[in-house]
Amino acid sequence: AAYSLASITLAIAAKWVFIGRYRAAVTPAWSELYFRHWIVEQTARMVPWGWLAGTGVYSLVLRALGAKIGRRVHIHHGVELWRGGWDLLTLGDDVTLNCDSWVGLVELDEGCLHIAPVSIGDRATLGVRAGVSGHSSMGADSHLTALSWLGADRTIPAGERWDGVPAEFERATPS
């Protein structure tokens, strides 16, 4: 318990000292922003995220790191939200992020660090091992099925179920 509290406090302090607020950006690898982000990411890796999974403490920590988290959000084991970009994360009420799902707030691509927003609306579900890239969003009551991927600049409208790689409309979700 003492280690958990100390590592969480250190991660929050590092984020606010080295980054302040994350903003959407594309920066070359080894730039000043990349290096500051790397320090914060390494500090956040020390937090025992697996112990927090499935508890309300996970949401509290994300809020302290700057994320906008609704009520009754359930984050299962294996969801790696320690990579940074928290100020750009919005999770509505009753959102479920299933086991090993992936939220691409921060990605390294073609020698550049991409930091981008992700928004997941009320009652939306990200299936087991499903993923969303930066600049993507899911509307209220939407569902991304297991093993599916929603690419950058894509939106699942409210009340729709999407499937596949890349994800495409499958059907409307029951109301």
Side-chain angles (χ1 to χ4, degrees), residues 35-144:
F35 182 66
R36 289 185 290 125
H37 165 76
W38 180 82
I39 292 169
V40 170
E41 181 179 356
Q42 297 310 308
T43 306
R45 288 182 75 163
M46 294 188 304
V47 173
W49 295 102
W51 294 356
L52 305 178
T55 71
V57 176
Y58 204 126
S59 293
L60 291 174
V61 172
L62 289 175
R63 284 185 192 109
L65 289 166
K68 293 162 256 351
I69 308 293
R71 297 172 309 208
R72 298 174 305 278
V73 169
H74 190 79
I75 302 170
H76 285 264
H77 286 282
V79 179
E80 295 181 350
L81 290 174
W82 51 264
R83 295 178 184 257
W86 303 288
D87 298 292
L88 303 173
L89 177 63
T90 302
L91 300 178
D93 294 339
D94 302 304
V95 166
T96 300
L97 304 179
N98 280 301
C99 293
D100 301 321
S101 59
W102 181 74
V103 179
L105 296 165
V106 178
E107 300 178 47
L108 188 60
D109 185 38
E110 296 182 2
C112 289
L113 185 69
H114 295 257
I115 304 170
V118 172
S119 177
I120 300 177
D122 295 344
R123 297 170 306 282
T125 301
L126 196 58
V128 173
R129 293 190 177 171
V132 293
S133 289
H135 295 292
S136 64
S137 64
M138 296 175 64
D141 300 304
S142 63
H143 185 97
L144 184 63

Side-chain angles (χ1 to χ4, degrees), residues 5-18:
L5 184 58
S7 63
I8 290 167
T9 302
L10 184 61
I12 292 167
K15 188 261 184 183
W16 291 108
V17 167
F18 289 103

